[in-house]
Amino acid sequence: MKHIDIANILQDKTLLGSKVTVCGWVRTARDSAAVAFLEVTDGSSFSRLQVVVDKSKFELDPECTKCGASIAATGVVVKAFKGEGAELNAESVTLLGKCPGDYPIQKKRTTLEFLRTIPHLRLRTNTFSAVFRVRSVAAQAIHRFFHENRFYYVHTPLITASDCEGAGEMFRVTTQPWNAKYESEAAYYKDDFFGQKAGLSVSGQLEGEVAAMAFGKIYTFGPSFRAENSNTTRHLAEFWHVEPEIVFAELPEVMELAEAMIKYVVRAVLEECPDEMDFFEKFVEPGLKEKLANIVESKFAVLEYTEAIELLKKADENFQFPVEWGCDLQTEHERYLTEKVFKKPVFVTNYPKEIKSFYMKQNADGKTVAATDLLVPGIGEIIGGSEREADPDKLLAAMQARGMDIAAYRQYLDLRKFGTAPHGGFGLGFDRFVMYVTGMENIRDVVLFPRTVNNIM
Ligand code: 4AD
C-alpha cells in the first residue's frame, strides 16, 4: 500500500501542505457531530498523529473511531492546532480492520501484571512501544559499537554438548520418545540425535574464545538458555547475551571495554529515544534521565571482592544472607554496594576461585581469580566476565580439581597449546541492560514472550 510513515510527517517540516496517505491504528478518538479527532499510530514514532475529520466533507465510518481499529487516511499535512507538530486534515478515511469493544487495550492505564496475561496485545500500549523501541535502538548501538572497534560478529552454536561453565542447569535437546527404554543412561544418549547428550548453550563463550584466538576481537549477540529454577524479576530461561572476547588483553582491558560499551549504548539511547526516555522519566522511574546522563559522564567504581566483603560486614543492614569471605554475593549485597555505597555502576573484581568458573585466570595469591562482575543500581549484576587462564598446565589442573571430563574439552585445551595468549571477555545480559535503561522493574516486561519457570505462553 502506498503510504508514508507517521514519523516522517511529524519530523519533516517540508511535508507541510502536501497530500499524503498514512496507515495505522486508532489509539483514541474524540468524536462529535461535526468533527472527529483520531489519534493514530503506525509504530514508526512514539508520538501519534492527529487525524482531523471534518464530517461535513465526507461520511466517516463509525468503526474508524473505535480504539484499536486499523485505518488508512488521506489528507493534507498542516501545522498542529496546538504545539509545534503537524496533523492531518483528512479528505478520506478507510477502515482496514475493525476492532470490537472487547479489545483489552483501552485508553485507561492498566497494570503490567494484567498485560503479562496478553503478551500478544500488550505491545500496543505506550509502555511497551517505548520499551521495544529502546531495546531495538540499544541492540543496533551494540552492533555499531563493536563494528566501529573492528570486532568480528560471530555466531556460536545454540546446541552444545558441553555445559560451558556449569553456569546453570542446561535444557536438554533430544528427539528420543518419552517412553524410550534403555539399559543405561549412556545407551539412551547413544541412540539420541547426536549420539550423545546435548543441550541448549548457557553461553557462547567457549566457542567465542575459539574465534577470538583466530580473529583477535570478536563478539556474539544471541540467546542463551538457563534451566535454573530462579523465579525472580531478573531471571529468564531464555535471555539475550552479548559476549565479546579480546586477545592480547588482561582484566583491566576487559573492564575498559565493558565500560566503553555501556556508555556508548546509553548515549545512543538518550540521543535516539528522547520521547521514550521522557515517558519513562514521567511514568516509570523519576530521575532516570539524570541517572543515565551521569553514567555517561562518570567513571565506574572498581572494588576488590575482599574490600566488598569488608564493606558489607560493616554495613548497618539486615541482610538475609550472611556475609563471609568466600561467599557468593547475593542480589541484596550487590544492590547495597551499588545503590547505597557508590550510587553508580561498580566493577567487583578478583573473586575467590571456588565460587567462579574453571577457565578464569588464577591470580598469584593462589586464592582468587581475575574475574569481574559489573553491578548497577536497581538490578545488581548485569555483566559477568574475566581474564581467561592462558597457561595450559594451570587450566588443566583447575579442570581436574573440578573432576571435569578433560576429553570433552580437547579443543578448548588446544587453544592453550597452539599459540596461547592472554585474553578475556564478558557477558552482558541484554534484557537486564534494557531494564536498566528503561527503569522497568521486571525482566518479563522487556522481552516479547518471556520464558520463565512454569511459563511459556
Ligand atoms: O555471569 P554469567 O553466567 O557469565 C557467563 O555466562 C560468561 N560465560 C560470560 C562471558 O564471560 N563471556 O552471565 C553473564 C550475564 C549476567 O551478568 C547476567 O546479566 C546475564 O548474563 N544472565 C541472565 N540474564 C537473564 N536471565 C538469566 N537467567 C541470566 N543468567 C545470566
Side-chain angles (χ1 to χ4, degrees):
M1 289 174 83
K2 199 159 163 35
H3 69 282
I4 69 168
D5 284 350
I6 285 177
N8 285 1
I9 299 183
L10 297 177
Q11 287 158 16
D12 183 357
K13 292 221 164 17
T14 63
L15 285 173
L16 284 174
S18 321
K19 186 166 168 177
V20 298
T21 297
V22 295
C23 296
W25 294 274
V26 176
R27 276 285 166 80
T28 60
R30 276 179 297 135
D31 195 13
S32 68
V35 61
F37 299 96
L38 312 176
E39 296 265 340
V40 179
T41 177
D42 64 358
S44 64
S45 66
F46 186 65
S47 310
R48 302 149 181 184
L49 177 71
Q50 174 153 279
V51 175
V52 184
V53 180
D54 176 349
K55 289 186 165 178
S56 65
K57 291 199 177 142
F58 63 95
E59 197 178 334
L60 180 67
D61 183 340
E63 291 294 338
C64 291
T65 64
K66 302 272 168 64
C67 178
S70 82
I71 60 161
T74 301
V76 177
V77 181
V78 295
K79 220 175 132 329
F81 189 64
K82 275 195 222 146
E84 289 289 287
E87 58 189 33
L88 191 77
N89 273 349
E91 293 171 3
S92 70
V93 177
T94 313
L95 180 71
L96 300 177
K98 60 181 176 182
C99 190
D102 57 352
Y103 183 50
I105 309 293
Q106 295 296 337
K107 195 174 153 193
K108 66 178 183 348
R109 281 172 71 80
T110 172
T111 65
L112 293 170
E113 286 77 11
F114 168 69
L115 291 172
R116 267 175 232 143
T117 67
I118 45 168
H120 59 306
L121 296 174
R122 67 176 179 168
L123 307 180
R124 302 171 182 206
T125 60
N126 278 339
T127 306
F128 286 89
S129 139
V131 165
F132 282 92
R133 184 180 306 281
V134 167
R135 189 174 170 116
S136 172
V137 164
Q140 302 281 1
I142 282 173
H143 286 299
R144 229 169 32 241
F145 171 81
F146 286 118
H147 184 62
E148 285 171 8
N149 286 286
R150 296 200 191 85
F151 281 65
Y152 286 55
Y153 172 34
V154 300
H155 304 112
T156 50
L158 300 187
I159 302 179
T160 176
S162 81
D163 173 359
C164 167
E165 47 198 286
E169 285 295 305
M170 258 216 293
F171 286 102
R172 229 159 17 93
V173 172
T174 180
T175 50
Q176 290 278 46
W178 68 271
N179 57 351
K181 288 205 176 70
Y182 291 92
E183 303 246 300
S184 65
E185 204 184 342
Y188 175 92
Y189 290 125
K190 194 155 190 314
D191 200 34
D192 205 346
F193 188 89
F194 294 103
Q196 66 183 94
K197 190 174 178 179
L200 293 178
S201 181
V202 298
S203 158
Q205 179 200 323
L206 299 193
E207 295 87 355
E209 282 186 58
V210 169
M213 290 298 281
F215 307 140
K217 293 193 278 190
I218 67 94
Y219 74 105
T220 68
F221 189 171
S224 284
F225 305 88
R226 308 257 166 123
E228 55 204 332
N229 199 351
S230 305
N231 210 349
T232 76
T233 53
R234 23 168 255 153
H235 285 91
L236 292 169
E238 174 184 289
F239 70 98
W240 280 72
H241 210 172
V242 180
E243 293 186 280
E245 193 72 29
I246 49 176
V247 188
F248 313 116
E250 294 168 327
L251 187 64
E253 284 102 58
V254 170
M255 289 156 59
E256 261 169 43
L257 177 68
E259 183 165 344
M261 180 196 73
I262 298 274
K263 288 181 171 171
Y264 183 99
V265 183
V266 168
R267 203 177 289 123
V269 167
L270 288 173
E271 279 170 17
E272 292 176 48
C273 304
D275 294 345
E276 291 79 359
M277 297 319 285
D278 284 346
F279 175 86
F280 292 125
E281 172 83 30
K282 194 160 166 207
F283 295 110
V284 179
E285 183 185 332
L288 177 71
K289 289 206 299 188
E290 195 187 333
K291 173 184 97 175
L292 295 179
N294 285 339
I295 300 292
V296 176
E297 297 307 325
S298 67
K299 186 100 193 78
F300 293 1
V302 180
L303 180 70
E304 293 264 338
Y305 168 88
T306 303
E307 294 170 284
I309 294 294
E310 280 160 20
L311 284 175
L312 291 166
K313 281 179 138 178
K314 277 194 270 172
D316 187 17
E317 296 279 320
N318 249 338
F319 292 127
Q320 191 192 341
F321 294 90
V323 182
E324 267 320 316
W325 199 96
C327 75
D328 210 354
L329 300 185
Q330 301 295 328
T331 305
E332 57 175 353
H333 306 138
E334 294 175 345
R335 291 189 57 172
Y336 171 77
L337 293 169
T338 177
E339 284 165 26
K340 301 245 169 96
V341 183
F342 292 95
K343 301 185 171 61
K344 62 178 177 177
V346 187
F347 285 109
V348 178
T349 62
N350 299 323
Y351 283 78
K353 62 180 182 192
E354 284 76 17
I355 58 169
K356 288 289 182 185
S357 303
F358 72 95
Y359 54 70
M360 294 183 175
K361 158 110 179 148
Q362 296 158 37
N363 287 329
D365 62 12
K367 293 193 297 194
T368 60
V369 285
T372 188
D373 283 355
L374 179 67
L375 317 179
V376 297
I379 297 177
E381 179 197 330
I382 58 165
I383 281 181
S386 72
E387 184 177 339
R388 320 305 187 193
E389 183 52 74
D391 179 310
D393 299 331
K394 287 189 184 164
L395 180 61
L396 189 62
M399 293 169 76
Q400 282 164 341
R402 286 170 165 80
M404 292 170 63
D405 174 8
I406 305 299
Y409 289 85
R410 192 184 47 76
Q411 296 179 350
Y412 193 66
L413 287 162
D414 268 359
L415 300 181
R416 276 63 176 177
K417 182 175 169 191
F418 303 119
T420 191
H423 66 286
F426 64 83
L428 166 76
F430 183 63
D431 317 275
R432 288 191 189 173
F433 178 75
V434 176
M435 289 170 74
Y436 182 56
V437 290
T438 57
M440 297 299 284
E441 288 180 352
N442 195 319
I443 200 162
R444 291 167 183 77
D445 298 330
V446 299
V447 280
L448 279 187
F449 288 92
R451 272 71 177 98
T452 52
V453 186
N454 285 326
N455 175 42
I456 184 158
M457 275 177 96

